[in-house]
Amino acid sequence: MAAVKLDASARDSQLQPLLAPEGGWHLVEGRDAIQKTFMFQDFNEAFGFMTRVAIKADKMDHHPEWFNVYNKVDITLSTHDCQGLSGRDITLATFIDALTK
Amino acid sequence: MAAVKLDASARDSQLQPLLAPEGGWHLVEGRDAIQKTFMFQDFNEAFGFMTRVAIKADKMDHHPEWFNVYNKVDITLSTHDCQGLSGRDITLATFIDALTK
């Protein structure tokens, strides 16, 4: 099923909690996308985290845009199909956050 | 042992082949670093490649700066210790290239 952009109600109920200070995500300027930076002890821990996200992402067929250097991982989520944020981004962001709690 | 910057002779003999058209690497503007983009069939193949690089990089204790989205991986190499290109970057670039041949 094609992804559809989050509607106003879903933005309030599902996106806002991620964007709140305790959620730690922020909107990317000029795009309907969210971004968050994750810090780890070292590269082993960072890449272990990336591997867990990668397996989930490929299973969902919904892939992050991400940058890593040593213990830092920057993740941007958006949905190519609908050129913006969809429920898939909420699902993946929630999964990612759960890994780091 | 601390990394040292490539000297002029090493730049000629080791760096230039990577920067040649068949090498595919290029210097990053404003930094003493090299960059190359790798394309794969899909995310599974791209992340498999990243995993092979990650294991090597952590063994060398020399880590890439890299960005991935779906089947594309952009890799930047430079050596933090010496603020520029060292033999470690040549070694890692050569290893990375061998994976994709």
Side-chain angles (χ1 to χ4, degrees):
Chain A
M1 205 175 72
V4 291
K5 267 200 186 192
L6 295 174
D7 61 20
S9 153
R11 285 187 171 257
D12 275 354
S13 61
Q14 297 171 39
L15 182 59
Q16 280 310 321
L18 295 173
L19 301 176
E22 62 274 23
W25 294 83
H26 62 266
L27 287 169
V28 176
E29 204 175 312
R31 292 179 60 188
D32 191 31
I34 53 174
Q35 198 273 336
K36 186 171 176 177
T37 299
F38 297 86
M39 299 296 293
F40 299 92
Q41 285 286 106
D42 54 23
F43 179 77
N44 182 297
E45 195 175 298
F47 199 78
F49 160 78
M50 289 177 72
T51 303
R52 296 188 69 184
V53 174
I55 292 169
K56 175 69 171 180
D58 212 39
K59 193 170 174 184
M60 289 179 67
D61 196 20
H62 186 61
H63 304 90
E65 301 167 37
W66 49 2
F67 174 83
N68 160 246
V69 57
Y70 193 55
N71 65 336
K72 186 174 106 163
V73 182
D74 285 326
I75 302 184
T76 300
L77 300 177
S78 189
T79 302
H80 188 260
D81 278 4
C82 67
Q83 303 273 315
L85 289 163
S86 75
R88 292 181 194 172
D89 300 302
I90 304 294
T91 302
L92 190 54
T94 304
F95 176 87
I96 290 169
D97 282 344
L99 292 181
T100 57
K101 265 171 194 148
Chain B
M1 205 175 73
V4 291
K5 267 199 187 194
L6 294 174
D7 61 20
S9 153
R11 285 189 171 255
D12 275 353
S13 62
Q14 298 172 39
L15 182 59
Q16 280 309 321
L18 295 174
L19 300 176
E22 62 274 24
W25 294 84
H26 61 266
L27 287 169
V28 176
E29 204 176 312
R31 291 178 62 187
D32 191 30
I34 53 174
Q35 197 273 335
K36 186 171 175 178
T37 298
F38 297 86
M39 299 296 292
F40 299 91
Q41 285 285 105
D42 55 21
F43 179 77
N44 182 297
E45 195 175 298
F47 199 78
F49 161 79
M50 290 177 72
T51 303
R52 296 188 70 184
V53 174
I55 293 168
K56 175 70 171 180
D58 212 40
K59 193 171 173 182
M60 290 178 67
D61 195 19
H62 185 61
H63 303 89
E65 302 167 36
W66 50 3
F67 174 82
N68 159 247
V69 58
Y70 193 56
N71 65 335
K72 186 174 108 163
V73 183
D74 286 325
I75 303 184
T76 300
L77 301 177
S78 189
T79 303
H80 189 261
D81 277 6
C82 67
Q83 304 272 316
L85 289 163
S86 75
R88 292 180 194 173
D89 300 302
I90 304 293
T91 302
L92 189 54
T94 303
F95 175 86
I96 290 169
D97 282 343
L99 291 182
T100 58
K101 267 170 193 147

mmCIF file of all heavy atoms in Angstrom, chain B residues 38-65:
data_model
loop_
_atom_site.group_PDB
_atom_site.id
_atom_site.type_symbol
_atom_site.label_atom_id
_atom_site.label_comp_id
_atom_site.label_asym_id
_atom_site.label_seq_id
_atom_site.Cartn_x
_atom_site.Cartn_y
_atom_site.Cartn_z
ATOM 1 N N PHE B 38 29.561 4.964 -3.543
ATOM 2 C CA PHE B 38 29.360 3.579 -3.982
ATOM 3 C C PHE B 38 27.861 3.315 -4.150
ATOM 4 O O PHE B 38 27.067 3.696 -3.289
ATOM 5 C CB PHE B 38 29.930 2.604 -2.936
ATOM 6 C CG PHE B 38 31.408 2.739 -2.742
ATOM 7 C CD1 PHE B 38 31.926 3.674 -1.859
ATOM 8 C CD2 PHE B 38 32.294 1.950 -3.460
ATOM 9 C CE1 PHE B 38 33.304 3.819 -1.684
ATOM 10 C CE2 PHE B 38 33.667 2.080 -3.301
ATOM 11 C CZ PHE B 38 34.172 3.018 -2.411
ATOM 12 N N MET B 39 27.507 2.680 -5.279
ATOM 13 C CA MET B 39 26.104 2.358 -5.543
ATOM 14 C C MET B 39 25.932 0.834 -5.562
ATOM 15 O O MET B 39 26.783 0.119 -6.103
ATOM 16 C CB MET B 39 25.678 2.921 -6.899
ATOM 17 C CG MET B 39 25.782 4.431 -7.012
ATOM 18 S SD MET B 39 24.684 5.353 -5.896
ATOM 19 C CE MET B 39 23.075 4.934 -6.588
ATOM 20 N N PHE B 40 24.833 0.376 -5.019
ATOM 21 C CA PHE B 40 24.556 -1.055 -4.945
ATOM 22 C C PHE B 40 23.182 -1.379 -5.526
ATOM 23 O O PHE B 40 22.435 -0.474 -5.898
ATOM 24 C CB PHE B 40 24.667 -1.523 -3.484
ATOM 25 C CG PHE B 40 26.041 -1.292 -2.941
ATOM 26 C CD1 PHE B 40 26.360 -0.104 -2.294
ATOM 27 C CD2 PHE B 40 27.038 -2.231 -3.119
ATOM 28 C CE1 PHE B 40 27.652 0.138 -1.837
ATOM 29 C CE2 PHE B 40 28.323 -2.003 -2.670
ATOM 30 C CZ PHE B 40 28.630 -0.819 -2.028
ATOM 31 N N GLN B 41 22.878 -2.660 -5.569
ATOM 32 C CA GLN B 41 21.577 -3.095 -6.090
ATOM 33 C C GLN B 41 20.424 -2.607 -5.214
ATOM 34 O O GLN B 41 19.379 -2.216 -5.711
ATOM 35 C CB GLN B 41 21.508 -4.638 -6.108
ATOM 36 C CG GLN B 41 22.304 -5.277 -7.196
ATOM 37 C CD GLN B 41 21.607 -5.116 -8.549
ATOM 38 O OE1 GLN B 41 22.027 -4.298 -9.376
ATOM 39 N NE2 GLN B 41 20.540 -5.855 -8.756
ATOM 40 N N ASP B 42 20.634 -2.704 -3.925
ATOM 41 C CA ASP B 42 19.558 -2.363 -2.982
ATOM 42 C C ASP B 42 20.159 -2.107 -1.599
ATOM 43 O O ASP B 42 21.383 -2.112 -1.434
ATOM 44 C CB ASP B 42 18.509 -3.482 -2.932
ATOM 45 C CG ASP B 42 19.124 -4.843 -2.610
ATOM 46 O OD1 ASP B 42 20.241 -4.885 -2.045
ATOM 47 O OD2 ASP B 42 18.490 -5.864 -2.935
ATOM 48 N N PHE B 43 19.312 -1.889 -0.621
ATOM 49 C CA PHE B 43 19.777 -1.581 0.740
ATOM 50 C C PHE B 43 20.508 -2.761 1.364
ATOM 51 O O PHE B 43 21.508 -2.596 2.055
ATOM 52 C CB PHE B 43 18.585 -1.183 1.619
ATOM 53 C CG PHE B 43 18.967 -0.881 3.045
ATOM 54 C CD1 PHE B 43 19.573 0.331 3.379
ATOM 55 C CD2 PHE B 43 18.733 -1.798 4.058
ATOM 56 C CE1 PHE B 43 19.926 0.609 4.687
ATOM 57 C CE2 PHE B 43 19.093 -1.527 5.375
ATOM 58 C CZ PHE B 43 19.690 -0.319 5.687
ATOM 59 N N ASN B 44 19.989 -3.955 1.131
ATOM 60 C CA ASN B 44 20.618 -5.149 1.700
ATOM 61 C C ASN B 44 22.089 -5.227 1.286
ATOM 62 O O ASN B 44 22.968 -5.467 2.118
ATOM 63 C CB ASN B 44 19.835 -6.389 1.240
ATOM 64 C CG ASN B 44 20.384 -7.674 1.823
ATOM 65 O OD1 ASN B 44 21.520 -8.040 1.544
ATOM 66 N ND2 ASN B 44 19.590 -8.361 2.626
ATOM 67 N N GLU B 45 22.340 -4.999 -0.007
ATOM 68 C CA GLU B 45 23.708 -5.075 -0.506
ATOM 69 C C GLU B 45 24.551 -3.905 0.034
ATOM 70 O O GLU B 45 25.714 -4.085 0.389
ATOM 71 C CB GLU B 45 23.669 -5.065 -2.040
ATOM 72 C CG GLU B 45 24.972 -5.499 -2.675
ATOM 73 C CD GLU B 45 24.853 -5.599 -4.198
ATOM 74 O OE1 GLU B 45 24.053 -6.402 -4.699
ATOM 75 O OE2 GLU B 45 25.569 -4.853 -4.889
ATOM 76 N N ALA B 46 23.946 -2.720 0.079
ATOM 77 C CA ALA B 46 24.668 -1.539 0.581
ATOM 78 C C ALA B 46 25.060 -1.726 2.045
ATOM 79 O O ALA B 46 26.199 -1.460 2.438
ATOM 80 C CB ALA B 46 23.811 -0.285 0.425
ATOM 81 N N PHE B 47 24.119 -2.212 2.853
ATOM 82 C CA PHE B 47 24.425 -2.346 4.279
ATOM 83 C C PHE B 47 25.360 -3.527 4.544
ATOM 84 O O PHE B 47 26.161 -3.492 5.482
ATOM 85 C CB PHE B 47 23.149 -2.431 5.132
ATOM 86 C CG PHE B 47 23.426 -2.108 6.571
ATOM 87 C CD1 PHE B 47 23.571 -0.792 6.981
ATOM 88 C CD2 PHE B 47 23.606 -3.123 7.508
ATOM 89 C CE1 PHE B 47 23.883 -0.485 8.301
ATOM 90 C CE2 PHE B 47 23.905 -2.819 8.833
ATOM 91 C CZ PHE B 47 24.045 -1.501 9.232
ATOM 92 N N GLY B 48 25.290 -4.542 3.704
ATOM 93 C CA GLY B 48 26.246 -5.649 3.803
ATOM 94 C C GLY B 48 27.668 -5.147 3.576
ATOM 95 O O GLY B 48 28.600 -5.490 4.320
ATOM 96 N N PHE B 49 27.817 -4.327 2.558
ATOM 97 C CA PHE B 49 29.107 -3.678 2.284
ATOM 98 C C PHE B 49 29.548 -2.828 3.487
ATOM 99 O O PHE B 49 30.695 -2.908 3.941
ATOM 100 C CB PHE B 49 28.948 -2.817 1.021
ATOM 101 C CG PHE B 49 29.972 -1.741 0.824
ATOM 102 C CD1 PHE B 49 31.235 -2.033 0.325
ATOM 103 C CD2 PHE B 49 29.662 -0.412 1.098
ATOM 104 C CE1 PHE B 49 32.181 -1.022 0.119
ATOM 105 C CE2 PHE B 49 30.589 0.602 0.895
ATOM 106 C CZ PHE B 49 31.854 0.281 0.394
ATOM 107 N N MET B 50 28.635 -2.025 4.014
ATOM 108 C CA MET B 50 28.975 -1.173 5.160
ATOM 109 C C MET B 50 29.440 -2.021 6.352
ATOM 110 O O MET B 50 30.357 -1.637 7.081
ATOM 111 C CB MET B 50 27.782 -0.300 5.562
ATOM 112 C CG MET B 50 27.460 0.790 4.553
ATOM 113 S SD MET B 50 25.986 1.766 5.002
ATOM 114 C CE MET B 50 26.613 2.735 6.393
ATOM 115 N N THR B 51 28.803 -3.158 6.526
ATOM 116 C CA THR B 51 29.159 -4.024 7.655
ATOM 117 C C THR B 51 30.582 -4.552 7.489
ATOM 118 O O THR B 51 31.360 -4.604 8.452
ATOM 119 C CB THR B 51 28.142 -5.170 7.771
ATOM 120 O OG1 THR B 51 26.841 -4.603 7.921
ATOM 121 C CG2 THR B 51 28.445 -6.067 8.965
ATOM 122 N N ARG B 52 30.942 -4.924 6.271
ATOM 123 C CA ARG B 52 32.309 -5.400 6.028
ATOM 124 C C ARG B 52 33.324 -4.281 6.288
ATOM 125 O O ARG B 52 34.380 -4.512 6.887
ATOM 126 C CB ARG B 52 32.439 -5.941 4.596
ATOM 127 C CG ARG B 52 31.562 -7.167 4.378
ATOM 128 C CD ARG B 52 31.829 -7.811 3.032
ATOM 129 N NE ARG B 52 33.144 -8.447 3.003
ATOM 130 C CZ ARG B 52 33.671 -9.029 1.918
ATOM 131 N NH1 ARG B 52 32.988 -9.038 0.787
ATOM 132 N NH2 ARG B 52 34.850 -9.595 1.963
ATOM 133 N N VAL B 53 32.985 -3.081 5.843
ATOM 134 C CA VAL B 53 33.873 -1.934 6.095
ATOM 135 C C VAL B 53 33.957 -1.646 7.599
ATOM 136 O O VAL B 53 35.036 -1.383 8.142
ATOM 137 C CB VAL B 53 33.394 -0.684 5.330
ATOM 138 C CG1 VAL B 53 34.231 0.542 5.699
ATOM 139 C CG2 VAL B 53 33.428 -0.926 3.817
ATOM 140 N N ALA B 54 32.819 -1.724 8.273
ATOM 141 C CA ALA B 54 32.762 -1.402 9.708
ATOM 142 C C ALA B 54 33.664 -2.327 10.522
ATOM 143 O O ALA B 54 34.383 -1.884 11.427
ATOM 144 C CB ALA B 54 31.322 -1.511 10.212
ATOM 145 N N ILE B 55 33.636 -3.616 10.201
ATOM 146 C CA ILE B 55 34.440 -4.587 10.955
ATOM 147 C C ILE B 55 35.929 -4.302 10.749
ATOM 148 O O ILE B 55 36.714 -4.306 11.688
ATOM 149 C CB ILE B 55 34.057 -6.026 10.538
ATOM 150 C CG1 ILE B 55 32.617 -6.334 10.995
ATOM 151 C CG2 ILE B 55 35.039 -7.043 11.123
ATOM 152 C CD1 ILE B 55 32.040 -7.606 10.406
ATOM 153 N N LYS B 56 36.300 -4.023 9.505
ATOM 154 C CA LYS B 56 37.692 -3.682 9.200
ATOM 155 C C LYS B 56 38.099 -2.377 9.900
ATOM 156 O O LYS B 56 39.175 -2.277 10.495
ATOM 157 C CB LYS B 56 37.862 -3.546 7.680
ATOM 158 C CG LYS B 56 39.219 -3.078 7.215
ATOM 159 C CD LYS B 56 40.279 -4.129 7.440
ATOM 160 C CE LYS B 56 41.594 -3.754 6.769
ATOM 161 N NZ LYS B 56 42.618 -4.783 6.995
ATOM 162 N N ALA B 57 37.230 -1.385 9.795
ATOM 163 C CA ALA B 57 37.532 -0.061 10.357
ATOM 164 C C ALA B 57 37.743 -0.146 11.868
ATOM 165 O O ALA B 57 38.688 0.444 12.409
ATOM 166 C CB ALA B 57 36.396 0.916 10.033
ATOM 167 N N ASP B 58 36.885 -0.907 12.536
ATOM 168 C CA ASP B 58 37.025 -0.969 13.991
ATOM 169 C C ASP B 58 38.286 -1.746 14.380
ATOM 170 O O ASP B 58 38.940 -1.408 15.366
ATOM 171 C CB ASP B 58 35.769 -1.574 14.629
ATOM 172 C CG ASP B 58 35.520 -0.978 16.012
ATOM 173 O OD1 ASP B 58 35.712 0.249 16.185
ATOM 174 O OD2 ASP B 58 35.157 -1.725 16.936
ATOM 175 N N LYS B 59 38.620 -2.744 13.585
ATOM 176 C CA LYS B 59 39.864 -3.501 13.829
ATOM 177 C C LYS B 59 41.085 -2.583 13.671
ATOM 178 O O LYS B 59 42.060 -2.677 14.421
ATOM 179 C CB LYS B 59 39.928 -4.644 12.822
ATOM 180 C CG LYS B 59 40.960 -5.703 13.104
ATOM 181 C CD LYS B 59 40.717 -6.866 12.139
ATOM 182 C CE LYS B 59 41.794 -7.932 12.218
ATOM 183 N NZ LYS B 59 41.526 -8.997 11.218
ATOM 184 N N MET B 60 41.023 -1.695 12.670
ATOM 185 C CA MET B 60 42.107 -0.728 12.436
ATOM 186 C C MET B 60 42.060 0.438 13.420
ATOM 187 O O MET B 60 42.974 1.255 13.455
ATOM 188 C CB MET B 60 41.987 -0.117 11.024
ATOM 189 C CG MET B 60 42.273 -1.028 9.872
ATOM 190 S SD MET B 60 42.026 -0.109 8.295
ATOM 191 C CE MET B 60 43.386 1.094 8.366
ATOM 192 N N ASP B 61 40.956 0.554 14.156
ATOM 193 C CA ASP B 61 40.669 1.742 14.953
ATOM 194 C C ASP B 61 40.791 3.007 14.084
ATOM 195 O O ASP B 61 41.372 4.021 14.482
ATOM 196 C CB ASP B 61 41.574 1.838 16.186
ATOM 197 C CG ASP B 61 41.039 2.847 17.196
ATOM 198 O OD1 ASP B 61 39.838 3.183 17.133
ATOM 199 O OD2 ASP B 61 41.822 3.323 18.045
ATOM 200 N N HIS B 62 40.235 2.892 12.895
ATOM 201 C CA HIS B 62 40.250 4.021 11.955
ATOM 202 C C HIS B 62 38.897 4.030 11.233
ATOM 203 O O HIS B 62 38.628 3.143 10.427
ATOM 204 C CB HIS B 62 41.394 3.859 10.953
ATOM 205 C CG HIS B 62 41.530 5.045 10.056
ATOM 206 N ND1 HIS B 62 41.800 6.299 10.552
ATOM 207 C CD2 HIS B 62 41.407 5.182 8.710
ATOM 208 C CE1 HIS B 62 41.845 7.152 9.550
ATOM 209 N NE2 HIS B 62 41.612 6.503 8.429
ATOM 210 N N HIS B 63 38.085 5.026 11.555
ATOM 211 C CA HIS B 63 36.672 4.967 11.173
ATOM 212 C C HIS B 63 36.311 5.956 10.081
ATOM 213 O O HIS B 63 36.783 7.087 10.092
ATOM 214 C CB HIS B 63 35.821 5.213 12.414
ATOM 215 C CG HIS B 63 36.102 4.235 13.519
ATOM 216 N ND1 HIS B 63 37.076 4.469 14.473
ATOM 217 C CD2 HIS B 63 35.609 3.011 13.781
ATOM 218 C CE1 HIS B 63 37.138 3.420 15.300
ATOM 219 N NE2 HIS B 63 36.255 2.523 14.901
ATOM 220 N N PRO B 64 35.446 5.529 9.162
ATOM 221 C CA PRO B 64 35.017 6.438 8.089
ATOM 222 C C PRO B 64 33.980 7.442 8.589
ATOM 223 O O PRO B 64 33.347 7.238 9.622
ATOM 224 C CB PRO B 64 34.372 5.485 7.082
ATOM 225 C CG PRO B 64 33.822 4.371 7.913
ATOM 226 C CD PRO B 64 34.806 4.203 9.060
ATOM 227 N N GLU B 65 33.817 8.507 7.820
ATOM 228 C CA GLU B 65 32.624 9.359 7.926
ATOM 229 C C GLU B 65 31.786 8.908 6.756
ATOM 230 O O GLU B 65 32.262 8.928 5.614
ATOM 231 C CB GLU B 65 32.981 10.832 7.722
ATOM 232 C CG GLU B 65 34.000 11.342 8.707
ATOM 233 C CD GLU B 65 34.575 12.709 8.278
ATOM 234 O OE1 GLU B 65 33.845 13.539 7.714
ATOM 235 O OE2 GLU B 65 35.777 12.908 8.507
#
